[in-house]
């Protein structure tokens, strides 16, 4: 892994997006365990996009306006759904005072996966991003793409988990203040809705 790839990837991952907001919300509401589970879900959600970039399927997505729009509006609808659930205290900021059950953990992972899977811009981003770091004249460029993809995923998980653990550390103070908790719920809901609207106006 080159220094350029590491620094560029780290900067991209650190920039707050839907995955970061989701993981922060999970940490605030359910503690470290829920935050790490959410980080895992968001990381798994980029696997289809990385796979598409390696196999060249993202080029089809970029070329097909209908397919791009279909996936995009599914993503918009899902983000707006998460915003509504958050306002009802049934989404990622649903409070939990007990250990996560397997069913709840699977739900958190599923939400994290869908947040990223239903964003077609990610596939196109990886098509433009990863090839820049392939060694010119490499014997196995596909192999290098796979390694870079796995490294990007590992970095994503670590950074998101750290975001979530930090939020979990602030959880006790937040839960003690009902007004602050309600304000955070509204902020997260607005963030999800904002990401949804931005995606709605995104073009190929």
């Amino acid at each position: 892994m080159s220094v350029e790839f590491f620094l560029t990837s780290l900067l991209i991952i650190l920039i707050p997006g839907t995955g970061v907001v989701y993981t922060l919300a999970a940490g605030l509401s359910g503690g470290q365990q829920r935050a790490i589970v959410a980080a895992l879900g968001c990381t798994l959600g980029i696997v289809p996009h990385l796979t598409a970039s390696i196999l060249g399927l993202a080029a089809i997505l970029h070329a097909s306006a209908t397919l791009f729009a279909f996936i995009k509006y599914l993503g918009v609808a899902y983000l707006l759904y998460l915003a509504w659930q958050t306002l009802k205290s049934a989404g990622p900021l649903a409070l939990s005072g007990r250990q996560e059950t397997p069913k709840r953990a699977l739900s958190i992972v599923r939400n994290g996966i869908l947040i990223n899977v239903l964003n077609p811009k990610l596939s196109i981003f990886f098509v433009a991003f990863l090839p820049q770091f392939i060694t010119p004249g490499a014997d196995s460029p596909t192999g290098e793409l796979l390694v870079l993809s796995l490294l990007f995923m590992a970095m994503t998980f670590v950074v998101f988990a750290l975001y979530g653990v930090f939020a979990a550390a602030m959880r006790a103070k937040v839960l003690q203040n009902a007004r602050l908790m309600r304000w955070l719920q509204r902020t997260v809901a607005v963030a999800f809705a904002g990401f949804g609207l931005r995606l709605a106006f995104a073009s190929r």
Side-chain angles (χ1 to χ4, degrees):
M1 177 171 57
S2 67
V3 175
E4 291 82 1
F5 175 78
F6 173 79
L7 293 177
T8 305
S9 298
L10 184 60
L11 179 61
I12 291 169
I13 296 167
L14 283 171
I15 296 173
T18 51
V20 170
V21 172
Y22 181 68
T23 307
L24 286 171
L28 284 171
S29 61
Q32 291 188 13
Q33 184 179 5
R34 185 182 289 189
I36 293 172
V37 171
L40 176 62
C42 292
T43 303
L44 292 176
I46 66 176
V47 171
H49 299 291
L50 290 170
T51 303
S53 67
I54 292 173
L55 298 178
L57 298 177
I60 299 175
L61 179 64
H62 181 58
S64 173
T66 302
L67 181 58
F68 181 89
F70 176 73
I71 297 175
K72 180 179 77 170
Y73 287 118
L74 281 179
V76 171
Y78 192 71
L79 287 171
L80 293 178
Y81 167 77
L82 281 180
W84 174 245
Q85 288 290 93
T86 300
L87 285 177
K88 293 170 55 183
S89 301
L93 273 179
L95 297 181
S96 172
R98 299 175 297 175
Q99 186 175 9
E100 299 292 349
T101 64
K103 183 178 180 180
R104 177 62 183 168
L106 286 174
S107 175
I108 294 169
V109 170
R110 181 200 64 209
N111 287 339
I113 290 174
L114 288 175
I115 283 173
N116 279 335
V117 166
L118 296 177
N119 183 357
K121 295 289 289 184
L122 283 177
S123 286
I124 297 172
F125 163 75
F126 286 119
V127 165
F129 174 69
L130 291 178
Q132 299 180 53
F133 301 96
I134 299 298
T135 306
D139 293 333
S140 178
T142 302
E144 286 198 19
L145 277 174
L146 180 59
V147 172
L148 292 175
S149 299
L150 292 174
L151 289 170
F152 189 92
M153 286 179 59
M155 292 174 64
T156 299
F157 175 73
V158 171
V159 170
F160 279 23
L162 289 175
Y163 268 123
V165 169
F166 171 77
M170 305 297 295
R171 181 171 181 259
K173 295 181 180 180
V174 172
L175 293 182
Q176 291 173 0
N177 190 324
R179 179 180 295 181
L180 177 59
M181 189 63 193
R182 187 59 183 166
W183 179 84
L184 283 172
Q185 285 178 320
R186 291 171 179 171
T187 301
V188 172
V190 169
F192 280 134
F195 285 128
L197 292 175
R198 187 176 70 176
L199 180 59
F201 291 100
S203 60
R204 294 173 296 155

